[in-house]
Amino acid sequence: MKTIKNKSDEAISLRRKAENKLLIQAGLNQDSQNEAENAKLLHELQVHQIELEMQNDELKKALENTATATALYDFAPAGYFTLDRDSTISQMNLNGAKMLGKSRSELVDVKFILFVSTENLGAFNEFLKNVFDTEKKQTCEFELILNEFLSIYVEGIISEDDTKCYVTAVDITKQKLDQAEITKQKLEETEKTRKIAELEYYQNFLVGRELKMIELKKEINELLKELNRNPEYKSVE
């Protein structure tokens, strides 16, 4: 009986050892599985972190490019305007506002045509109409109504959605004044040349007349001589 009992105890003990070993192996497998899952999760988190960093870098670059573009737009030497079909100003840069003699806040939703001289209203209206109708770049020159004379050269193109006109304006006042001064000088030179020619004509006329008078006096003296009379004009050579 003892032998049978001992064998039974040994079997139970062996089973327990086997179960314990199995549990240990299962624990190891579980640990390995947990480690793999943790590694996978860590990898996903690292990838996600890198993606966020890349997105942040792209956002920073975009913001930097936007800031650069804004600076170039605002401080460009030319005036930039965004106009509606009726010439209402929706946007402009600093130099554009300076051209019109007001701040940007004062010019938003104001019609650009209000600053165009009466003599140039037709040219401006045709310019704006052609931009929207032809969808091709248009150019024009006109004067603005300000406290002082200001002449500008403009180029206009239509926006991609065909609702806005992008205008680039350049101040050509100095060139216009220089051109006017050159034209004035040319007119003055032409007038002087005309007067000189006129004076030369009269001078030649008078000189010719004087020569004819001398010849006439000579002929009179000759005739008087033939008549045995004294010459009438003594100083004639």
Side-chain angles (χ1 to χ4, degrees):
M1 294 293 293
K2 287 183 179 179
T3 301
I4 295 173
K5 184 178 180 181
N6 289 337
K7 288 183 178 180
S8 177
D9 290 340
E10 289 176 359
I12 293 171
S13 177
L14 182 61
R15 182 176 179 81
R16 286 177 178 173
K17 289 180 180 180
E19 288 176 346
N20 289 335
K21 186 175 182 180
L22 181 62
L23 289 173
I24 292 172
Q25 290 178 349
L28 291 175
N29 291 336
Q30 184 67 36
D31 290 341
S32 298
Q33 184 177 358
N34 290 339
E35 288 179 2
E37 290 179 354
N38 289 336
K40 183 178 180 181
L41 179 60
L42 178 61
H43 175 73
E44 292 295 331
L45 290 174
Q46 289 174 336
V47 170
H48 185 60
Q49 182 180 4
I50 292 173
E51 288 178 346
L52 289 176
E53 290 175 353
M54 292 174 67
Q55 290 175 359
N56 286 335
D57 289 340
E58 291 178 357
L59 179 59
K60 287 179 181 179
K61 289 179 181 179
L63 290 174
E64 289 174 358
N65 291 336
T66 301
T68 301
T70 301
L72 290 174
Y73 176 83
D74 279 340
F75 298 102
Y80 294 136
F81 300 90
T82 302
L83 308 181
D84 294 337
R85 285 181 177 270
D86 62 353
S87 84
T88 298
I89 304 170
S90 57
Q91 285 185 321
M92 81 227 73
N93 68 345
L94 293 173
N95 204 41
K98 183 180 178 181
M99 281 184 177
L100 301 184
K102 295 182 179 294
S103 66
R104 287 196 284 190
S105 60
E106 294 176 298
L107 291 169
V108 174
D109 294 332
V110 175
K111 287 182 171 56
F112 189 95
I113 197 171
L114 296 176
F115 298 91
V116 179
S117 67
T118 304
E119 295 81 2
N120 298 139
L121 286 176
F124 175 77
N125 284 329
E126 184 178 2
F127 159 78
L128 194 60
K129 181 178 182 297
N130 288 339
V131 171
F132 285 102
D133 289 350
T134 66
E135 298 185 3
K136 295 180 180 179
K137 183 177 74 173
Q138 302 292 322
T139 63
C140 186
E141 291 182 14
F142 50 83
E143 297 171 8
L144 300 179
I145 304 173
L146 300 170
N147 293 331
E148 57 184 14
F149 173 80
L150 183 66
S151 182
I152 61 174
Y153 169 85
V154 297
E155 291 185 355
I157 58 173
I158 197 169
S159 61
E160 291 184 358
D161 60 2
D162 298 340
T163 62
K164 303 288 184 181
C165 172
Y166 298 136
V167 174
T168 302
V170 179
D171 185 351
I172 57 171
T173 304
K174 185 178 184 303
Q175 292 89 324
K176 283 289 186 180
L177 292 176
D178 290 345
Q179 184 179 1
E181 182 63 26
I182 291 172
T183 301
K184 179 183 176 182
Q185 290 177 359
K186 287 183 177 180
L187 289 175
E188 290 176 350
E189 290 175 1
T190 301
E191 181 64 16
K192 288 177 181 178
T193 302
R194 186 191 66 79
K195 287 184 177 180
I196 290 172
E198 185 178 343
L199 290 173
E200 288 178 344
Y201 169 78
Y202 282 113
Q203 182 182 17
N204 293 333
F205 173 78
L206 293 174
V207 170
R209 185 171 180 273
E210 183 66 24
L211 291 174
K212 286 183 178 181
M213 289 296 295
I214 292 173
E215 291 297 324
L216 182 59
K217 289 177 180 180
K218 285 182 179 180
E219 290 180 7
I220 292 173
N221 284 343
E222 289 294 331
L223 290 173
L224 290 173
K225 184 178 180 181
E226 291 177 2
L227 295 173
N228 295 319
R229 294 171 60 180
N230 294 327
E232 186 174 346
Y233 303 102
K234 297 181 180 180
S235 61
V236 177
E237 295 294 336

